[in-house]
Amino acid sequence: MEYPNTPFKSDFNTEILTKTHCDDACQEVDSNSDELEGLLKWLCSTPNITSLRVNTLTNDVEDVLNLIKAYLNDNNIKVEIHPILKEVIIIHNIPIERLDLNKEKQEVIIDVHCGASVLRGAHIFAPGVIGMQKGAQLNDKVSVYVDVNKKCKKGFCDIFNLGRKVFVGNGVVKMTRKELFCDNNSLKGIAIEMLATISGCPTLNINNLPTGSCILQNLPSIICVYLLAPKPNEVILDMCAAPGHKTTHIAALMENKGILVALDKIQPKINKLERIRDEFKANFKAFRADSTKILLKIENNMHSSNNVLNGPPFLMESFDRILLDAPCSALGKRPQFLNDSTEKIIRSFVPLQRKLFENAVALLKPHGTLVYSTCTITLGENEGVVAWALKKFKNLKLIEPPSELKLGSKGWKGTDLSDKHLSYVQRFDHLSVDVDSVGFFVACFNKS
Ligand code: SAM
């Protein structure tokens, strides 16, 4: 397969991935560079499965499984319910020997983000197309390439040889050059319908399934909510909730009973969160809030009643469980063709994650559960934050995941975390045996 070898720009110093990013604890990880190379290669490749979580508030898992099988309409595609996570449907990639990946004469060039979506089963939508050869007609078969180094100009009309291009698969033209590049207001809809890709991921347009019946969600995100273990009638906070994929899962495990509060800093994201809530018929209250500033500081909690349904700020020790799915450098995305992240951006997240964590600990009731997660791979944002938290909050204990939910690999060395603690946190990466998904990190704590 023609995946590129590293997702980062050539001047990117990968040492930043294995440092704690904070001046007070700047140690380098003890890992060897072969291992890092393996991880970076893995980030360039596509997960070998697609996972969908069924909305159990409104749907039966078997019913949705049958709908998906009917939609895919191909007995060669293996579709099954996950053996442990019973509301999760797994669609396996098709072995590529079975696919027609012979290159066509006509070519289409797409951007790196669109390329990543195509390899995970999307058709090509108009905004993702950068170039299409002159002469390509509606319903022509074309080969699709990703412009890895962003050298192709919008509207390009020839064979592209000015930069690195990677073949991702074959598709059929559904929009002409004129529609794509000359008519300004037509940049919507499917431009190329994909027939086969080098990842073998079946094309699935989730919009063709009943609204609110299920959601495309990576397995580590699902495991993360299982570790939180929400129960009916509890009081639960999702501190960084939009677009709400995990919030709707929490609501489902609570059976819509109890109090669930979801926060996000950005208003348009709250609007989206509320849309998903309504589609999923999930019961939670959403508020726009900066979760670094949601603690109501009153000397004695006795003075005030604690109605979290009114939104932040909240009194200390208000919640039974808190999910902190933190803003992060998001380096765990798969597949990646090119990553433009800079060291400055990557370093900027740890102070924010610590502030959010401080609020989470204060808002958690004694004996409450806190789950901290990121979709990134750096030591600083993952083990670094856990090590800092265990040092700062003596009332926090890192919890060992139940064996059936221990599907990731152990944490990286390079912080104060003991071997025992490294085996309690979970990294989802190239070393995880049971899950081939995106890069992800999760740790679960209990407060005494
Ligand atoms: N949990 C979400 C899900 O599963 O759908 C994904 C959350 S995403 C990793 C992180 C979110 O944190 C973003 O939506 C971002 O807007 C939000 N965010 C960033 N800084 C924040 C802050 N200070 N307070 C609250 N939300 C914040």
Side-chain angles (χ1 to χ4, degrees):
M1 264 184 256
E2 297 179 58
Y3 285 114
N5 266 344
T6 163
F8 297 103
K9 280 167 78 176
S10 55
D11 60 352
F12 185 87
N13 184 354
T14 52
E15 267 184 22
I16 184 70
L17 304 176
T18 56
K19 285 190 170 170
T20 48
H21 310 179
C22 275
D23 298 337
D24 59 332
C26 192
Q27 316 168 31
E28 248 183 84
V29 76
D30 190 17
S31 77
N32 67 50
S33 57
D34 284 352
E35 216 156 86
L36 194 56
E37 195 54 39
L39 173 64
L40 297 183
K41 272 192 184 150
W42 177 79
L43 288 177
C44 297
S45 66
T46 309
N48 57 23
I49 53 150
T50 303
S51 46
L52 290 108
R53 179 176 58 78
V54 175
N55 180 15
T56 51
L57 289 171
T58 54
N59 285 267
D60 180 77
V61 182
E62 288 281 347
D63 290 347
V64 178
L65 178 75
N66 290 333
L67 277 179
I68 291 172
K69 282 183 176 168
Y71 171 81
L72 291 170
N73 191 23
D74 183 345
N75 287 336
N76 289 321
I77 302 177
K78 190 172 164 202
V79 188
E80 61 185 354
I81 295 173
H82 190 279
I84 298 165
L85 312 168
K86 294 294 181 196
E87 74 262 60
V88 178
I89 293 172
I90 301 292
I91 305 173
H92 294 258
N93 290 359
I94 306 162
I96 55 166
E97 318 73 81
R98 294 213 197 126
L99 299 172
D100 175 9
L101 290 168
N102 293 321
K103 289 185 188 155
E104 300 292 328
K105 281 204 189 95
Q106 305 257 30
E107 70 175 46
V108 164
I109 306 292
I110 59 172
D111 68 41
V112 286
H113 301 293
C114 180
S117 304
V118 164
L119 290 181
R120 292 215 66 184
H123 291 299
I124 297 176
F125 287 80
V129 181
I130 315 178
M132 181 187 277
Q133 254 178 277
K134 247 186 212 153
Q137 305 291 322
L138 279 184
N139 298 320
D140 276 358
K141 216 171 151 193
V142 288
S143 281
V144 179
Y145 295 82
V146 170
D147 167 28
V148 176
N149 303 116
K150 301 188 176 177
K151 296 278 187 212
C152 187
K153 292 225 163 62
K154 194 89 182 169
F156 189 76
C157 61
D158 212 340
I159 297 273
F160 179 65
N161 286 320
L162 297 170
R164 184 143 174 240
K165 65 180 182 189
V166 171
F167 172 67
V168 288
N170 292 326
V172 172
V173 174
K174 292 290 165 196
M175 273 187 200
T176 61
R177 274 191 58 83
K178 181 169 178 302
E179 284 172 290
L180 280 167
F181 304 124
C182 303
D183 299 347
N184 274 340
N185 56 1
S186 64
L187 285 178
K188 279 186 191 149
I190 294 175
I192 309 288
E193 228 169 64
M194 290 308 291
L195 297 171
T197 69
I198 59 164
S199 65
C201 181
T203 309
L204 178 72
N205 188 349
I206 188 113
N207 295 330
N208 292 338
L209 297 170
T211 309
S213 60
C214 62
I215 193 164
L216 281 166
Q217 197 173 18
N218 291 310
L219 279 176
S221 294
I222 298 170
I223 291 165
C224 176
V225 172
Y226 269 107
L227 289 170
L228 186 70
K231 309 254 178 326
N233 303 316
E234 290 184 330
V235 184
I236 300 186
L237 175 65
D238 188 351
M239 285 176 80
C240 298
H245 295 177
K246 296 186 189 71
T247 325
T248 52
H249 191 192
I250 297 171
L253 294 180
M254 291 174 78
E255 297 166 18
N256 265 349
K257 292 178 200 141
I259 295 176
L260 174 55
V261 177
L263 308 177
D264 204 277
K265 198 178 168 183
I266 298 174
Q267 186 57 48
K269 291 191 177 191
I270 290 290
N271 301 342
K272 190 164 181 202
L273 183 67
E274 290 179 333
R275 258 201 319 278
I276 290 189
R277 176 190 64 192
D278 296 344
E279 283 174 9
F280 272 64
K281 306 214 180 329
N283 177 23
F284 62 84
K285 285 274 245 174
F287 299 96
R288 194 199 75 75
D290 177 346
S291 292
T292 63
K293 298 176 185 152
I294 51 171
L295 184 62
L296 182 61
K297 286 186 183 132
I298 293 180
E299 282 299 301
N300 185 346
N301 278 358
M302 304 294 276
H303 289 307
S304 185
S305 69
N306 187 8
N307 190 355
V308 297
L309 284 172
N310 292 333
F314 307 112
L315 290 172
M316 284 178 71
E317 301 184 350
S318 288
F319 295 94
D320 296 306
R321 297 177 199 269
I322 298 181
L323 174 62
L324 173 49
D325 186 32
C328 67
S329 56
L331 300 180
K333 285 184 192 144
R334 276 179 87 204
Q336 291 179 40
F337 287 94
L338 179 73
N339 195 309
D340 284 337
S341 297
T342 61
E343 186 164 330
K344 192 170 165 209
I345 292 175
I346 294 175
R347 279 184 188 279
S348 70
F349 287 101
V350 172
L352 172 60
Q353 290 154 348
R354 289 184 177 188
K355 271 197 198 137
L356 290 164
F357 206 109
E358 280 171 0
N359 276 266
V361 175
L363 290 170
L364 193 64
K365 288 182 190 173
H367 311 294
T369 301
L370 166 62
V371 167
Y372 173 78
S373 58
T374 75
C375 59
T376 200
I377 57 168
T378 70
L379 182 76
E381 295 171 86
N382 295 327
E383 292 83 354
V385 168
V386 173
W388 162 85
L390 291 178
K391 211 171 194 175
K392 183 167 170 91
F393 304 104
K394 297 294 174 209
N395 53 352
L396 268 196
K397 220 173 114 188
L398 192 62
I399 301 296
E400 180 172 24
S403 56
E404 72 278 12
L405 295 178
K406 218 170 177 178
L407 300 171
S409 47
K410 63 182 189 321
W412 281 358
K413 291 183 177 165
T415 66
D416 293 338
L417 293 184
S418 63
D419 284 350
K420 184 174 93 175
H421 281 161
L422 290 178
S423 73
Y424 287 4
V425 302
Q426 295 195 69
R427 268 189 178 256
F428 291 87
D429 58 16
H430 61 308
L431 301 176
S432 312
V433 177
D434 295 318
V435 180
D436 183 45
S437 188
V438 292
F440 200 88
F441 177 87
V442 62
C444 185
F445 302 85
N446 196 268
K447 182 174 165 179
S448 57

